[in-house]
Amino acid sequence: MSSTDRGTAAANTPETTPGPVRTRAWATRLVVVGILLSALNLRPAITSLGALLEEVRDGLGMSGSVAGLLTSVPPLCFAVFGVTAPRLARRFGPAAVVCAGMVAITAGLLIRPYAGGTAGFLAASALALMGIAVSNVLMPVIVKRWFPDRVGSMTGLYSMALAMGTSLAAAVTVPLTDAMGGGWRPGLVVWAVLAAAAVLPWLPLVRDRGTAPAQRPQPEPEPVRVVREQPAPPAPLRITRSRTAWALAVFFGLQATAAYITMGWMPQIFRDAGVPAGTAGVLLAVTMVMGVPLAFVIPRVAARLPHQGPIVLVLGVCGLVGYAGLYFAPAGGAWAWAVLLGVSNCAFPLALTMVGMRARSGAGVAQLSAFAQSTGYLISIPGPLLVGVLYQQSGGWGLPIALMAGLMVPQVLVGFLAGRNRTVEDEAAAR
């Protein structure tokens, strides 16, 4: 068993370590700070671009279809690079991989606006998104390892910080751009500063391979040597045999489709309806900021329920009403639709919480997180691209919004299946 597996097993096996991982208090505080700063940086690369998408399209000469491809790059990178995160974590340790991810985000955001041409812009975006991808997958693993008895509250705190970063970038990117002279390049590059700050708390932890930093107490000599049988290392799960894992992956993919369509296209929907650019960015920020309180509340409520299906249903209904509003009166009820879609987007922290609840061990959470997120992001790739194609071909937002509403129905159905009180270990072993 690798050192990472030993650490996660120790953090989650009652007979070996009855509580959280024993470690120095300063290290625990650094982990909390690192989680919060990292979460703040997991979406500004996307929502800052959404707020300035029209300016970037004009500056780089993009068509609507190419812009749709640009909004599909995040889930593509999350799927391709996210699946490597568990392997990297076993070799280098989760903290070192997240630290490297923050460095990649910083570099990508610095290079992207000045890379020259659409190809360079996409390549630099992919570098930043690669860092986001591995951090996405490893955040539930780090929470499970360091805070095994507080998965719900720590996931809520992490999700709340993620929502804050998302909404902050959506709200202030356009005003920052105007304050710096009106060019879109400074408005995008400024977010590299926040990413650079997130590197710092992980630096003292990069040598952590998943074991507790504190020294283990030496056993006292006994007159008779007692040999205890050591538990065998757990075999890797055949995760694809679990119906719950598949349901969670599809649920993750459909909610990610809705989220990236919203982040990439919602400001443009409002702008085409006559809403000023600055107000459209604030509306996106309202959608994202709804996740700040709800991302803290929903995981705590979900962790206390045996079945998370009712929460899935409430979020789905909010999404359907919001899409109906965008279709019939996008400008007239803009603030209400932004709030409702913000509530619906809280399917993301719910999905993260279910990842932590649908597996018993840290190793199981790592496998389930990588499978659900990588498969889910693969599922979500066509959505933003298809929206761009439909918009360009139809010349309006009717068909794209109908697509968004239609995808909400299967999201609710698979969310009900993923919310059942089961674990992937039991299902993978039973079949």
Side-chain angles (χ1 to χ4, degrees), residues 241-305:
R241 293 186 175 186
S242 168
R243 293 180 181 178
T244 297
W246 278 107
L248 189 52
V250 176
F251 177 68
F252 201 99
L254 292 175
Q255 67 81 28
T257 300
Y260 289 109
I261 290 174
T262 299
M263 286 187 282
W265 289 108
M266 198 174 85
Q268 194 65 48
I269 294 174
F270 286 127
R271 291 176 73 169
D272 287 351
V275 177
T279 305
V282 174
L283 285 167
L284 178 59
V286 169
T287 298
M288 299 298 111
V289 82
M290 291 303 299
V292 175
L294 292 179
F296 188 71
V297 173
I298 287 177
R300 294 171 68 90
V301 174
R304 291 178 170 88
L305 294 177

Side-chain angles (χ1 to χ4, degrees), residues 26-359:
W26 67 265
T28 303
R29 295 190 190 101
L30 273 181
V31 171
V32 173
V33 173
I35 288 173
L36 292 177
L37 283 177
S38 298
L40 284 172
N41 283 281
L42 294 183
R43 294 298 180 270
I46 303 166
T47 52
S48 62
L49 176 60
L52 295 173
L53 184 58
E54 184 172 320
E55 287 76 10
V56 174
R57 285 175 58 188
D58 293 341
L60 298 178
M62 292 183 187
S63 66
S65 298
V66 175
L69 174 63
L70 182 61
T71 56
S72 292
V73 169
L76 173 63
C77 290
F78 294 166
V80 171
F81 298 116
V83 74
T84 66
R87 187 180 303 111
L88 292 172
R90 285 194 297 270
R91 181 171 181 180
F92 302 106
V97 177
V98 173
C99 183
M102 295 301 112
V103 172
I105 295 172
T106 305
L109 293 181
L110 284 172
I111 296 169
R112 179 170 71 170
Y114 305 101
T118 301
F121 190 92
L122 288 170
S125 296
L127 176 61
L129 294 166
M130 176 178 65
I132 297 173
V134 295
S135 303
N136 271 337
V137 171
L138 293 180
M139 282 298 160
V141 178
I142 289 174
V143 168
K144 186 79 170 182
R145 172 181 125 60
W146 287 82
F147 310 98
D149 55 343
R150 288 180 283 166
V151 170
S153 59
M154 288 303 300
T155 300
L157 192 63
Y158 149 69
S159 301
M160 185 173 65
L162 189 149
M164 289 178 63
T166 306
S167 58
L168 181 67
V172 307
T173 295
V174 172
L176 278 176
T177 301
D178 294 339
M180 291 185 289
W184 58 268
R185 288 179 171 86
L188 292 182
V189 79
V190 70
W191 296 104
V193 177
L194 183 62
V199 176
L200 302 178
W202 296 109
L203 291 175
L205 301 168
V206 293
R207 299 195 178 200
D208 174 35
R209 295 293 190 269
T211 55
Q215 292 184 350
R216 302 188 181 201
Q218 296 296 323
E220 296 191 11
E222 301 178 3
V224 179
R225 185 179 179 183
V226 178
V227 179
R228 296 181 180 179
E229 182 179 354
Q230 297 296 321
L237 294 173
R238 295 185 177 182
I239 201 77
T240 56
R241 293 186 175 186
S242 168
R243 293 180 181 178
T244 297
W246 278 107
L248 189 52
V250 176
F251 177 68
F252 201 99
L254 292 175
Q255 67 81 28
T257 300
Y260 289 109
I261 290 174
T262 299
M263 286 187 282
W265 289 108
M266 198 174 85
Q268 194 65 48
I269 294 174
F270 286 127
R271 291 176 73 169
D272 287 351
V275 177
T279 305
V282 174
L283 285 167
L284 178 59
V286 169
T287 298
M288 299 298 111
V289 82
M290 291 303 299
V292 175
L294 292 179
F296 188 71
V297 173
I298 287 177
R300 294 171 68 90
V301 174
R304 291 178 170 88
L305 294 177
H307 195 309
Q308 289 75 46
I311 303 178
V312 173
L313 179 60
V314 171
L315 300 182
V317 170
C318 288
L320 289 172
V321 176
Y323 289 135
L326 281 182
Y327 186 92
F328 291 108
W335 297 99
W337 318 142
V339 169
L340 286 169
L341 291 174
V343 175
S344 179
N345 278 346
C346 287
F348 175 72
L350 177 61
L352 288 181
T353 305
M354 288 195 287
V355 167
M357 296 177 67
R358 297 287 89 89

